[in-house]
Amino acid sequence: MKQVSIVPVWTIQDAQGQQLPARLIDLLVQVSETGTLQSAARVLGLSYRHAWTLVRQGEALFQAQLMLMERGKGSTLTDLGARIAWADRRIHARLRPVLETLSSELAQELRGALEEAPAALRIHASHGFAIERLLERLAGDGLKIAFSYASSSAAAAALRDGDCDVAGFHIPIGAMEPVALAHYRRWLRGLDLQLVDIAVRRQGLMVRAGNPKELFALADLARPGVRFINRQPGSGTRFLLERLLAAQEVASTAISGFEQGEYTHAAVAAHVASGMADAGFGLEPPARQFKLDFVPIATERYFLLCRADVMATPALQAVLQALRDPAFRQVLAALPGYDPAAAGTVSPLADVYPALASSAPE
């Protein structure tokens, strides 16, 4: 079965239905990345003349400039051009996990219609960059996987209900660990599960380059004039932040924008980088990707929980082989704030988190 891919496409049109020319948005994004129209055209495989024509057509539609050019100084997007480029970044950052999940579901449906073998493993996981790399590796190895990105709570519930074989989520290390374990125990207690480590990772504040608002602690988010962008309700990251704030006696109601949530770490970073917020809370890789500063706040353990009856299957053994591969560990180690030293280690859940595995009533 071929891989199913879904790519977001968007456009802008006037009252008469005239749309921005195809690839203009991609061109503006590349100009912001490369600094010159010529380099942007080269990246997209366009002639300089065609790229220039696209810009002129877009400016005619808006009746406003999209780009400024100075001899010897490259190309600079106007405020309008920059906003369009950032809108594209935010769309891709927000939708990527959703579209990857839908792609996996569509592939499953097509396999059924073609009478192909079903997926060898069903994975529901909280989105993160290590699990994303792992899924890419497994797909490259030819392993058929049905996966769904979901909140940590939803992944745990799916494992309990038998809707997946493997669940991926994260537990903080340190003072917040007991709180998180108590939260997830309702779904996992009494199950015979094995824990497979992937990586230890950092969560923290994503702030504008140079940290102009001088935001170094969670309490700083409550200062007047600070705009915050959160993750969506139900996400493991938002749960962690809420508990950290409670432990530090910082009222979430004092934080401007706390109730506004994005569905991915990358979307939070893009929101901050576009100037729509001063800070967000999330993982380090998208902060670095969008050239933001990062203030570490908490450390987490990201792992897979696997049903005992799938541990000996060829599919799960392929997962372990990938995680233990030194070359793949280097891929994970290249992610900012990630430590894959224990990747592929298998332990009974009851040994690692006795409180999580206990079948005793709450």
Side-chain angles (χ1 to χ4, degrees):
M1 181 64 206
K2 301 296 185 183
Q3 188 75 21
V4 176
S5 297
I6 305 174
V7 180
V9 176
W10 67 286
T11 189
I12 301 171
Q13 62 185 36
D14 62 18
Q16 289 72 44
Q18 183 180 356
Q19 296 185 352
L20 285 179
R23 307 209 71 185
L24 175 59
I25 295 174
D26 291 340
L27 184 64
L28 295 177
V29 171
Q30 289 302 321
V31 168
S32 69
E33 293 280 345
T34 64
T36 70
L37 181 60
Q38 185 173 24
S39 297
R42 187 181 304 115
V43 169
L44 297 176
L46 304 174
S47 69
Y48 181 81
R49 181 176 180 179
H50 183 45
W52 184 245
T53 299
L54 292 178
V55 173
R56 288 303 185 211
Q57 289 174 343
E59 291 179 338
L61 180 68
F62 283 113
Q63 296 186 358
Q65 281 189 293
L66 295 171
M67 187 184 308
L68 301 174
M69 301 181 67
E70 269 189 85
R71 186 179 297 276
K73 293 187 177 181
S75 308
T76 305
L77 297 183
T78 63
D79 182 61
L80 174 60
R83 287 175 184 266
I84 293 172
W86 275 112
D88 186 74
R89 291 187 178 101
R90 290 180 60 219
I91 288 170
H92 282 267
R94 178 179 291 179
L95 294 181
R96 181 174 178 180
V98 176
L99 295 181
E100 288 180 350
T101 296
L102 181 56
S103 297
S104 177
E105 293 172 356
L106 292 175
Q108 281 292 97
E109 293 179 15
L110 293 177
R111 288 188 188 114
L114 294 171
E115 298 184 351
E116 292 187 354
L121 203 62
R122 300 170 301 159
I123 300 177
H124 286 211
S126 173
H127 182 261
F129 297 89
I131 187 67
E132 190 177 89
R133 299 293 188 275
L134 177 60
L135 291 172
E136 291 171 357
R137 163 65 185 261
L138 296 175
D141 290 344
L143 187 63
K144 293 179 181 179
I145 290 178
F147 70 88
S148 176
Y149 286 127
S151 68
S152 294
S153 298
L159 190 64
R160 176 201 62 192
D161 296 339
D163 293 332
C164 67
D165 307 304
V166 177
F169 59 105
H170 44 99
I171 295 291
I173 296 171
M176 290 298 104
E177 179 181 301
V179 178
L181 295 179
H183 175 71
Y184 293 116
R185 185 171 176 269
R186 70 190 78 175
W187 294 291
L188 300 173
R189 68 171 183 249
L191 299 182
D192 186 8
L193 301 172
Q194 297 288 313
L195 184 150
V196 178
D197 277 295
I198 296 182
V200 171
R201 65 185 196 178
R202 298 194 298 192
Q203 295 241 44
L205 294 177
M206 307 177 187
V207 298
R208 302 288 299 279
N211 200 358
K213 291 292 182 77
E214 298 185 345
L215 306 173
F216 299 106
L218 295 182
D220 295 334
L221 299 176
R223 293 203 317 247
V226 175
R227 300 166 301 159
F228 182 72
I229 179 66
N230 207 347
R231 286 293 304 281
Q232 83 278 15
S235 70
T237 294
R238 182 164 176 149
F239 174 79
L240 171 61
L241 176 60
E242 290 171 344
R243 297 307 180 269
L244 288 169
L245 290 171
Q248 297 179 29
E249 299 184 345
V250 178
S252 62
T253 53
I255 300 175
S256 177
F258 189 86
E259 295 307 317
Q260 299 179 32
E262 288 281 3
Y263 281 85
T264 70
H265 294 278
V268 170
H271 201 100
V272 176
S274 66
M276 300 176 67
D278 300 303
F281 186 79
L283 295 172
E284 189 169 352
R288 303 305 182 191
Q289 176 190 350
F290 286 101
K291 299 179 173 59
L292 300 174
D293 283 2
F294 182 80
V295 181
I297 297 292
T299 304
E300 297 178 318
R301 184 180 192 172
Y302 190 102
F303 53 85
L304 303 176
L305 285 184
C306 310
R307 291 183 169 276
D309 57 1
V310 304
M311 290 302 298
T313 63
L316 204 285
Q317 291 302 307
V319 172
L320 296 179
Q321 183 177 357
L323 288 170
R324 294 166 180 170
D325 180 1
F328 182 67
R329 287 190 176 186
Q330 289 182 355
V331 170
L332 297 185
L335 294 169
Y338 276 71
D339 179 2
T345 301
V346 179
S347 309
L349 176 62
D351 290 352
V352 182
Y353 296 121
L356 199 59
S358 173
S359 60
E362 295 184 46

